[in-house]
Amino acid sequence: MDIGTTLTRFLIEQQRHLPGATGTFTALLEEIAIAAKIVGREVNKAGLAKTMGLTGRTNIHGEAVQALDDFANWTIIRALDHTGLLAAMASEEMEEVFPIPEHHPRGPYVLVFDPVDGSSNIDVNVSIGTIFSIYRCADPEHPQVSDFLRRGREQLCAGYVIDSYSPILVYTTGSGVHGFTLDPTIGEFLLSHEDLQIPTQATIYSVNEARSPTWDPRVRGYVDGLKGTGRSARYIGSLVADFHRNLLKGGIFLYPAEVRAPNGKLRLVYEANPLAFIIEQAGGSASTGHTRILDVRPESLHERVPLVIGSPQDVAEFEAALRAPQEQQV
Ligand code: P6P
C-alpha cells in the first residue's frame, strides 16, 4: 500500500536534482519536523497540558511568555543542537544568539526561528505555528549575531509548521514551495502540496482594521478601496495561519506602519523574511510598502518591519498607493 511521499523521501529525491546538495537540509528539516511534532502534541492537549497558560514572565519585547513559547523554544534547540549542522541558533524568545555548546559538534549553518507565532491564540484553539530560516555561518567556530543579520535574499531555506487539526509543514530551499501534511496514523509528514503557487488574483485581504486610525491615510484609502470588490476580509490574528490561507487561496496580508510604530509590529528576521522567501518562490511578493522585504538589511535581531505580502498584483497596487502624494495634514 502506497503511503505517499514522506518528507524524507521528497528531500532525498530533491537532493538528487540539486548539484552539490549534501543532504544537510534533509537532516535539518527532518529534525525540525520532529520538533514540530513534539510541539504539536503539546498544542493538541489544549488546555489540559501544563504547557498552556502564562509563565508570568515577559519576553524582551515586553510580551507575556506563554508556557508553550518556552516549551517550543527549547524543544527546537534540543532537537537541533547535536546535529553537527549548526553553529548557532536565535529565536524570538531569546535576546541573544545561542551558540551551539562546546560539547556538541558545530556545522556551517545558523537557524533562526519564531517558536510559536500567534501564541496569544494558544488558549482559544486558534491555529498557531513555528516559522524558521536557515543561513550559512561565516565562521562556525565563532558564530556572531552578524550571521543572522543578513538580507533575506541570502536565506538558504525557510519554512513554517502550522499546528492545527491537520498540521502542515511548508518549506522552500529556493527550488519551489512544498507542503507536507501530517498523517497522525503513521506520524509522518506526507507530500500534499507540491510546488505551491499563489493565485495571481487575490480573493482575500487580511488586516487588523481596528488599527486603521493609526495608519497613513493612503493605507486607509487602499484598504477602503478593497471593500465592495468581491473580496472577503479574513483575519485570524495568527500570521502563519493568515499567510498559509492566502498562499493557497490568493490574497494579501498587511501589517502596515503605524503613527507610533513606523516599523509596524512583525519581526523582520524570523517572521517577514522566511515568509517573504516562501511567497517569492510561490510567485508572490513581499514588501515594506516601499522596499522588497528580502532586500532589507537587518540592523538588529529583533527589529520590526511593516509587512505587505501575497499576490503580486495586490502588493504592487499597495506600493503604488503609498507613492501617491501624501494628503496635506490639516
Ligand atoms: P494584532 C501574533 O501575536 C502576531 O505576532 C502575529 O502572529 C499576528 O499576525 C499579529 O501578531 C496580530 O497582531 O495587532 O492584529 O493582534
Side-chain angles (χ1 to χ4, degrees), residues 117-121 208 211 235 237-240 242 253 255 265-267 271:
D117 168 65
S119 53
S120 55
N121 292 306
N208 181 349
R211 306 196 67 82
Y235 193 73
S238 178
L239 172 61
V240 70
D242 278 315
F253 173 96
Y255 209 108
K265 173 181 184 181
L266 302 177
R267 278 79 170 192
E271 290 177 335

Side-chain angles (χ1 to χ4, degrees), residues 10 19 38 54 132 147 152 160 247:
F10 186 82
I38 295 168
L54 297 174
F132 62 89
D147 290 307
Y160 58 85
L247 172 61

Side-chain angles (χ1 to χ4, degrees), residues 92-169:
E92 180 186 34
E93 296 305 322
M94 302 186 297
E95 186 158 5
E96 308 296 337
V97 166
F98 177 85
I100 296 301
E102 299 292 333
H103 58 275
H104 285 313
R106 285 192 176 163
Y109 302 103
V110 295
L111 171 75
V112 59
F113 57 95
D114 179 355
V116 183
D117 168 65
S119 53
S120 55
N121 292 306
I122 292 173
D123 296 338
V124 295
N125 285 56
V126 166
S127 295
I128 53 177
T130 299
I131 309 173
F132 62 89
S133 205
I134 297 171
Y135 293 88
R136 193 171 300 286
C137 182
D139 175 3
E141 286 314 306
H142 305 94
Q144 311 284 333
V145 68
S146 56
D147 290 307
F148 296 87
L149 302 184
R150 320 288 284 281
R151 288 189 174 89
R153 64 182 188 231
E154 295 179 58
Q155 290 174 92
L156 300 173
C157 175
Y160 58 85
V161 181
I162 296 182
D163 293 306
S164 66
Y165 69 90
S166 176
I168 188 165
L169 182 151

Side-chain angles (χ1 to χ4, degrees), residues 37-322:
K37 285 185 260 189
I38 295 168
V39 172
R41 183 187 60 192
E42 293 306 310
V43 169
N44 292 335
K45 293 178 193 169
L48 302 176
K50 293 181 180 50
T51 48
M52 294 299 166
L54 297 174
T55 58
R57 288 183 287 110
T58 55
N59 64 17
I60 57 151
H61 317 292
E63 295 163 342
V65 177
Q66 299 274 354
L68 191 67
D69 288 323
D70 258 359
F71 175 82
N73 189 59
W74 291 102
T75 297
I76 293 167
I77 288 177
R78 289 190 189 100
L80 287 123
D81 64 2
H82 60 283
T83 58
L85 299 169
L86 298 176
M89 291 185 247
S91 133
E92 180 186 34
E93 296 305 322
M94 302 186 297
E95 186 158 5
E96 308 296 337
V97 166
F98 177 85
I100 296 301
E102 299 292 333
H103 58 275
H104 285 313
R106 285 192 176 163
Y109 302 103
V110 295
L111 171 75
V112 59
F113 57 95
D114 179 355
V116 183
D117 168 65
S119 53
S120 55
N121 292 306
I122 292 173
D123 296 338
V124 295
N125 285 56
V126 166
S127 295
I128 53 177
T130 299
I131 309 173
F132 62 89
S133 205
I134 297 171
Y135 293 88
R136 193 171 300 286
C137 182
D139 175 3
E141 286 314 306
H142 305 94
Q144 311 284 333
V145 68
S146 56
D147 290 307
F148 296 87
L149 302 184
R150 320 288 284 281
R151 288 189 174 89
R153 64 182 188 231
E154 295 179 58
Q155 290 174 92
L156 300 173
C157 175
Y160 58 85
V161 181
I162 296 182
D163 293 306
S164 66
Y165 69 90
S166 176
I168 188 165
L169 182 151
V170 174
Y171 85 90
T172 185
T173 54
S175 302
V177 176
H178 311 292
F180 298 77
T181 299
L182 184 65
D183 177 341
T185 64
I186 57 172
E188 283 288 343
F189 279 104
L190 300 180
L191 183 63
S192 54
H193 300 76
E194 186 170 5
D195 200 15
L196 273 167
Q197 290 291 302
I198 187 168
T200 47
Q201 182 56 44
T203 57
I204 293 166
Y205 72 96
S206 309
V207 66
N208 181 349
E209 296 208 46
R211 306 196 67 82
S212 66
T214 70
W215 297 341
D216 178 305
R218 294 169 296 184
V219 174
R220 269 200 298 278
Y222 171 82
V223 172
D224 288 344
L226 297 176
K227 298 181 172 90
T229 61
R231 296 165 193 256
S232 297
R234 294 285 185 273
Y235 193 73
I236 300 170
S238 178
L239 172 61
V240 70
D242 278 315
F243 174 87
H244 185 68
R245 181 211 46 243
N246 290 0
L247 172 61
L248 298 185
K249 304 277 188 190
I252 185 167
F253 173 96
L254 308 96
Y255 209 108
E258 301 180 350
V259 171
R260 275 189 290 278
N263 290 326
K265 173 181 184 181
L266 302 177
R267 278 79 170 192
L268 172 59
V269 176
Y270 41 79
E271 290 177 335
N273 266 336
L275 298 184
F277 185 18
I278 291 168
I279 204 72
E280 288 200 3
Q281 283 289 310
S285 304
S287 168
T288 64
H290 301 286
T291 309
R292 179 189 180 222
I293 288 286
L294 294 183
D295 288 340
V296 178
R297 177 187 288 282
E299 300 295 329
S300 64
L301 191 55
H302 301 289
E303 74 180 62
R304 301 172 192 267
V305 70
L307 178 63
V308 179
I309 188 168
S311 298
Q313 182 181 327
D314 295 76
V315 173
E317 287 169 4
F318 180 82
E319 290 178 322
L322 277 189

